[in-house]
């Protein structure tokens, strides 16, 4: 037995042939880019950014007023950044989970949950209405306890959900959980049965692009917005080969530096990484169950998220939160071999029955983290510019809500969205360097220590909790 164990292949060998590219974007159906902007354009609304935030804003603007003249500019290609690299968890939560919502907006959390479910319903309706082929499955998600102390936390979360009148949450003991998905590391779970859908994220972005084009939105790809300034009664945005003059501008740049400079201290770009396996055989699927195809995530501070795809692959991501000094979003930051190796080891610890499975893709991408873990909103230039940012990894669904908020703000309307404390308030900004670097490093060390010490938060984390300054993904 000892000799066999010594000769067993290392989990890292499963990475040997993996392509260093996002699985979702490695698709022959990837649409061709629209031409870049050359010369000047005029429009009613300019949307900057071709991820979910910008695409939903352009689409909803045309749905609200089909006569509105809308232009969207994207610095690279539609969906190439976070919108084409994420895990495909399309969540109803607007607050990065119940716990974060209760800590920050307890008085309006019930309303936020209602708006979140309505938002997720509307996403499903849009996918159907526009015929977007993105493997949209409303499977729900299970939060998993892998340590004994986490079981009590999940039970408390189930009680909090019940007090809010949310009947979609079900606590699962170990046997019930392992009947859904079988791993020797699983101890209990909390299944949100209706609050999360699984999607192919790149296909969702490409489908939204086509829907926008179909409604008359003019999209310019490979057109980076470089400067924003007032121009008469409107705004002017400069690009490498032209300008766009617009009455209003909506910024969906998220992790990238905002054209409104005062917004930049609120955002820290952090890097998250993921692996994708080869398709599982029928025997491998039977070994782990997973018949109901829920999204899964564990309950550690440094957590993993994992889901099964339409062709029976497993996406396995998360755990490390990689921050570079002075931040920034750069192509060379996309890959982190040390994290890939760590994720591979963790994968086979979770699913030892899948020993021998290979990974086909490895990749990373930037997340727009803010100190309250959920989006914030605002306007600039006398209300002619609106922005939404800080989704902290839960932007697949919440960006549609953010798009509605930006359009409300640009219209000067008082709505049930703009009246929310969540919309009217801002998170705490991150401190400048080198305090930011030091603070993030101490926080990461403290989070790791909590994960290995029964969840006990040290004085640093308690102080961060008290002032509302956090760091998460």
């Amino acid at each position: 037995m000892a000799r066999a164990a010594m000769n067993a292949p290392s989990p890292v060998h499963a990475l040997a042939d993996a392509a260093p590219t996002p699985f979702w974007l490695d698709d022959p159906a990837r649409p061709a880019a629209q031409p870049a902007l050359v010369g000047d354009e005029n429009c009613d609304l300019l949307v900057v950014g071709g991820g979910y935030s910008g695409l939903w804003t352009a689409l909803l603007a045309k749905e609200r007023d089909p006569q509105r003249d809308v232009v969207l500019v994207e610095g690279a290609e539609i969906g190439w950044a976070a919108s084409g690299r994420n895990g495909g968890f399309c969540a109803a939560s607007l607050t990065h989970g119940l716990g974060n919502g209760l800590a920050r907006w307890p008085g309006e959390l019930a309303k936020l949950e209602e708006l979140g479910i309505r938002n997720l319903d509307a996403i499903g309706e849009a996918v159907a209405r526009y015929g977007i082929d993105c493997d949209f499955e409303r499977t729900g998600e299970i939060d998993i306890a892998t340590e004994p102390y986490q079981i009590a936390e999940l039970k408390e979360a189930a009680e909090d959900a019940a007090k809010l009148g949310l009947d979609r949450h079900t606590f699962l003991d170990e046997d019930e959980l392992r009947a859904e998905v079988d791993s020797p590391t699983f101890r209990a779970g909390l299944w949100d049965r209706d609050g999360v859908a699984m999607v192919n994220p790149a296909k969702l972005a490409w489908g939204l692009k086509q829907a926008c084009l179909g409604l008359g939105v003019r999209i310019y790809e490979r057109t980076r917005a470089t400067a924003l300034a007032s121009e008469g009664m409107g705004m002017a945005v400069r690009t490498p080969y032209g300008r766009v003059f617009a009455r209003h501008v909506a910024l969906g740049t998220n992790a990238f530096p905002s054209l409104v400079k005062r917004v930049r201290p609120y955002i820290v770009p952090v890097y998250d990484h993921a692996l994708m396996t080869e398709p599982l055989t029928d025997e491998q699927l039977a070994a782990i169950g997973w018949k109901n195809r829920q999204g899964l995530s564990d309950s550690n501070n440094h957590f993993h998220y994992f889901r099964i795809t339409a062709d029976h692959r497993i996406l396995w991501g998360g755990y490390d939160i990689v921050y570079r000094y002075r931040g920034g979003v750069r192509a060379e930051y996309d890959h982190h071999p040390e994290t890939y190796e760590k994720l591979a080891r963790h994968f086979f610890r979770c699913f030892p029955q899948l020993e021998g499975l290979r990974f086909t893709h490895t990749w990373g991408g930037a997340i727009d983290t803010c100190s309250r873990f959920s989006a914030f909103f605002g306007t600039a230039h006398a209300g002619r510019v609106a922005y939404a940012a800080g989704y902290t990894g839960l932007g697949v669904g919440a960006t549609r809500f953010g798009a509605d908020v930006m359009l409300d703000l640009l219209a000067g309307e008082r709505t049930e969205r703009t009246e929310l404390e969540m919309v009217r308030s801002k998170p705490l900004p991150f401190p400048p360097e080198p305090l930011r670097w030091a603070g993030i490093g101490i926080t990461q060390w403290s989070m790791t220590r909590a994960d290995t010490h029964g969840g006990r938060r040290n004085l640093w984390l308690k102080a961060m909790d008290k002032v509302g300054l956090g760091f998460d993904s």
Side-chain angles (χ1 to χ4, degrees):
M1 291 293 290
R3 182 178 298 275
M6 289 177 63
N7 293 334
S10 164
V12 177
H13 291 172
L15 294 165
D17 300 319
T21 190
F23 170 78
W24 311 113
L25 299 177
D26 187 17
D27 188 331
R30 185 173 181 170
Q34 294 292 109
L37 173 66
V38 178
D40 291 348
E41 265 280 21
N42 292 273
C43 60
D44 297 324
L45 173 66
L46 171 64
V47 179
V48 179
Y52 297 137
S53 190
L55 291 165
W56 280 119
T57 303
L59 186 68
L60 292 174
K62 292 294 283 187
E63 288 184 345
R64 290 186 181 199
D65 180 2
Q67 302 306 311
R68 182 181 293 178
D69 190 19
V70 180
V71 168
L72 184 151
V73 295
E74 161 55 42
E77 295 185 17
I78 296 296
W80 76 276
S83 297
R85 297 166 184 261
N86 63 81
F89 287 63
C90 186
S93 178
L94 305 175
T95 62
H96 213 281
L98 280 175
N100 193 49
L102 278 171
R104 300 182 187 279
W105 306 286
E108 64 184 27
L109 184 57
K111 183 64 175 179
L112 287 165
E113 286 291 313
E114 176 197 342
L115 289 170
I117 283 291
R118 282 162 46 188
N119 182 65
L120 182 57
D121 290 343
I123 291 172
E125 291 162 4
V127 165
R129 182 166 63 255
Y130 293 106
I132 299 175
D133 179 16
C134 63
D135 304 325
F136 186 92
E137 299 179 87
R138 198 137 170 190
T139 59
E141 179 182 2
I142 303 177
D143 291 331
I144 294 166
T146 57
E147 299 292 339
Y149 74 89
Q150 296 167 357
I151 300 173
E153 293 177 352
L154 292 184
K155 288 181 176 179
E156 183 179 353
E159 293 170 0
D160 290 337
K163 291 175 184 175
L164 289 167
L166 304 177
D167 58 4
R168 65 178 195 266
H169 293 76
T170 303
F171 179 81
L172 306 174
D173 64 23
E174 182 172 345
D175 290 340
E176 291 169 329
L177 174 59
R178 294 185 64 173
E180 293 293 333
V181 187
D182 190 18
S183 166
T185 66
F186 292 177
R187 295 177 178 269
L190 182 61
W191 186 359
D192 180 348
R193 293 178 175 272
D194 192 48
V196 182
M198 296 291 106
V199 299
N200 178 313
K203 287 185 175 181
L204 175 59
W206 299 336
L208 290 172
K209 170 185 175 179
Q210 191 57 47
C212 286
L213 291 170
L215 293 182
V217 177
R218 299 194 300 287
I219 296 177
Y220 296 97
E221 297 179 69
R222 298 168 185 162
T223 301
R224 186 169 66 92
T226 59
L228 170 72
S230 298
E231 180 79 18
M233 297 300 292
M235 301 300 302
V237 171
R238 185 170 294 279
T239 71
Y241 306 111
R243 294 171 297 176
V244 183
F245 299 96
R247 291 177 56 208
H248 294 111
V249 176
L251 300 178
T253 49
N254 298 312
F256 296 88
S258 177
L259 293 176
V260 177
K261 291 185 179 180
R262 69 169 182 266
V263 175
R264 295 180 185 180
Y266 293 101
I267 293 293
V268 164
V270 298
Y271 275 77
D272 180 59
H273 298 83
L275 314 176
M276 185 69 84
T277 73
E278 63 190 343
L280 274 65
T281 65
D282 291 342
E283 292 76 14
Q284 289 169 326
L285 281 169
I288 61 172
W290 215 343
K291 296 181 291 294
N292 290 313
R293 304 175 55 79
Q294 307 94 331
L296 306 175
S297 63
D298 63 50
S299 300
N300 294 306
N301 290 302
H302 287 287
F303 63 91
H304 306 88
Y305 56 86
F306 39 122
R307 52 79 56 96
I308 197 161
T309 67
D311 61 347
H312 307 305
R313 301 168 184 263
I314 296 176
L315 179 146
W316 178 268
Y319 196 76
D320 280 345
I321 307 164
V322 183
Y323 174 73
R324 270 82 174 188
Y325 185 71
R326 294 191 184 279
V329 181
R330 301 180 184 176
E332 60 263 34
Y333 294 167
D334 286 347
H335 297 288
H336 201 242
E338 293 177 7
T339 295
Y340 298 149
E341 294 177 8
K342 193 180 299 182
L343 286 171
R345 290 195 300 271
H346 295 175
F347 177 87
F348 290 108
R349 187 182 305 155
C350 180
F351 293 124
Q353 60 270 54
L354 297 181
E355 182 180 341
L357 194 67
R358 310 283 285 187
F359 298 104
T360 62
H361 295 75
T362 62
W363 72 94
I367 291 174
D368 59 326
T369 297
C370 74
S371 64
R372 72 184 194 187
F373 311 152
S374 51
F376 63 92
F377 315 89
T379 61
H381 292 275
R384 295 192 295 269
V385 176
Y387 57 84
Y391 293 95
T392 317
L394 253 66
V396 180
T399 44
R400 185 192 176 279
F401 174 83
D404 261 331
V405 171
M406 283 195 285
L407 292 172
D408 290 349
L409 292 173
L410 289 174
E413 296 175 349
R414 294 182 61 179
T415 68
E416 60 183 345
R417 290 178 289 266
T418 62
E419 292 297 292
L420 292 167
E421 181 187 351
M422 176 189 177
V423 171
R424 292 184 288 105
S425 63
K426 293 282 194 301
L428 287 173
F430 289 99
E433 299 289 15
L435 294 177
R436 178 182 299 182
W437 167 262
I440 289 173
I442 295 169
T443 301
Q444 290 234 50
W445 176 84
S446 299
M447 290 165 63
T448 300
R449 189 177 186 279
D451 284 340
T452 57
H453 287 74
R456 293 187 293 275
R457 298 175 76 79
N458 63 14
L459 292 176
W460 176 266
L461 290 180
K462 289 177 180 178
M464 295 297 99
D465 293 340
K466 188 171 183 179
V467 299
L469 185 63
F471 188 71
D472 200 1
S473 69

